Amino acid sequence: MSKLRLKISMSLDGFVAGPNQSVENPLGIGGMRIHEWAFALEAWRAQHGLEGGEVNESAQVMKESVENLGATIMGRNMFGGHPGPWDPNKPWNGWWGEDPPYHHPVFVLTHHPRETLVLQGGNSFTFVTDGIESALEQARAAAGGRNVTIGGGASTIQQYLRAGLVDEMQLHVPAVLLGSGERVFDNLDGATRRFTCTELVASPTVAHYTYVRR
Amino acid sequence: MSKLRLKISMSLDGFVAGPNQSVENPLGIGGMRIHEWAFALEAWRAQHGLEGGEVNESAQVMKESVENLGATIMGRNMFGGHPGPWDPNKPWNGWWGEDPPYHHPVFVLTHHPRETLVLQGGNSFTFVTDGIESALEQARAAAGGRNVTIGGGASTIQQYLRAGLVDEMQLHVPAVLLGSGERVFDNLDGATRRFTCTELVASPTVAHYTYVRR
């Protein structure tokens, strides 16, 4: 059975993005620091078409997290661009250029309908306007038995957690103190109570916590 | 030079105590889970006069954290009892019985004066009514060149962080998701920006992050 897996990089003080997110600064001020641990890894670099990189305790975790993955769900803010209806004259096609790093179907939660966007490398972006259950159903169908992941952001993650739809969570917690920004572990109404940690490993810069729902 | 070291056990979702703290439930609902990782350790058991226990990646961290320690500072709530002036007819002498686990002078921040309380095993509790700088000064003098630690709770820790008085932080982050409670990394006005991580190690149940102030 295809599982819904959550992957979150979070600063040690609990933020998944810095303050003042914008088109120029999609992760907010300092938010990129939350993800720096990954950029040095061979596994991350290979996924983004780059050679070389480090192999350490994080490498195996990263490898497993992208294995058997068939589709991604994300919120409109993570896909980015602008708020409100899509502008046909200035189409926003995501942050990632012509060949995004997903290489499978992506489902974007939005209030505004739009035709599916097909880019290079097996990337497609389908815009879902009828809610998180529908997005999950479409993602599962597209994943063909493989797992589905939630890319973010915080609000999308919280919605799926509150609805009890998440099967596994992987939390990457680098030794970063961001000070302020957007929290993911807020307003969850006890939705995390049913999760049990199955693995905790750390490299010198980041700890990786894996949880499954009981 | 004597350093001010902070030791915090915090759930992965950022809480240092659960909700609804009370005399019956000093750490709030579920709050004891944040500290369970320590109870199994030989180092913790020895500090509390118990034999046996585990020796793992956390043991060395725990050993270093109590080494060269000469005094502790804590808030009134952590010392516990009741709010308001001390009741001479029903003296509250802390949670820890006749022989608390500190075995050195402890300084309690309070608005209400009280004579120093001397218990067994080298434990004394001095009640400081003239602020956090005064408590630190008295603790340093009592520590005789050794380090001073802050026991908690969240409000006391935040006051010392905001005042820029903390030299080192040790954050113990078990794989516990508490859901709600009291956060320590809130209202810090950027006070954590000057800290750099010097060590990150993990056992299968808890990750330990060590920071020093630049």
Side-chain angles (χ1 to χ4, degrees), chain A residues 173 175 183 185-186 209 211, chain B residues 173 175 183 185-186 200 209 211:
Chain A
V173 186
R183 290 194 191 278
F185 286 111
D186 254 347
Y209 298 75
Y211 288 83
Chain B
V173 186
R183 290 195 192 278
F185 286 111
D186 254 345
L200 168 52
Y209 297 76
Y211 288 83

Side-chain angles (χ1 to χ4, degrees), chain A residues 102-108 116-120 122-126:
Chain A
Y102 299 100
H103 310 302
H104 58 217
V106 177
F107 295 83
V108 181
T116 295
L117 170 71
V118 178
L119 295 177
Q120 296 173 12
N123 288 285
S124 67
F125 293 85
T126 299

Side-chain angles (χ1 to χ4, degrees), chain B residues 153-212:
Chain B
S155 160
T156 299
I157 289 170
Q158 286 166 355
Q159 287 176 62
Y160 278 99
L161 279 171
R162 277 199 302 266
L165 294 169
V166 175
D167 299 300
E168 295 180 14
M169 291 198 289
Q170 202 165 48
L171 286 147
H172 310 299
V173 186
V176 170
L177 295 168
L178 214 55
S180 60
E182 191 168 17
R183 290 195 192 278
V184 66
F185 286 111
D186 254 345
N187 313 312
L188 288 178
D189 306 331
T192 54
R193 266 186 222 128
R194 295 185 56 202
F195 286 88
T196 307
C197 185
T198 54
E199 188 181 57
L200 168 52
V201 294
S203 80
T205 58
V206 57
H208 308 278
Y209 297 76
T210 303
Y211 288 83
V212 297

Side-chain angles (χ1 to χ4, degrees), chain B residues 120-142:
Chain B
Q120 296 174 15
N123 289 285
S124 66
F125 293 84
T126 299
F127 301 88
V128 180
T129 56
D130 53 351
I132 63 169
E133 277 92 355
S134 169
L136 179 55
E137 209 172 290
Q138 294 181 54
R140 281 225 164 94

Side-chain angles (χ1 to χ4, degrees), chain B residues 3 8 11 15 26 43 46 56 68 92 151 177 187 210:
Chain B
K3 285 177 183 157
I8 305 172
S11 69
F15 302 105
N56 59 19
N68 198 31
W92 173 264
L177 295 168
N187 313 312
T210 303

Side-chain angles (χ1 to χ4, degrees), chain A residues 51 57 76 93 96 106 115 118-119 149 160 165 172 191 204:
Chain A
E51 290 182 10
E57 296 87 343
R76 161 75 184 266
N93 291 345
W96 307 277
V106 177
E115 290 293 305
V118 178
L119 295 177
T149 192
Y160 278 99
L165 294 170
H172 310 299

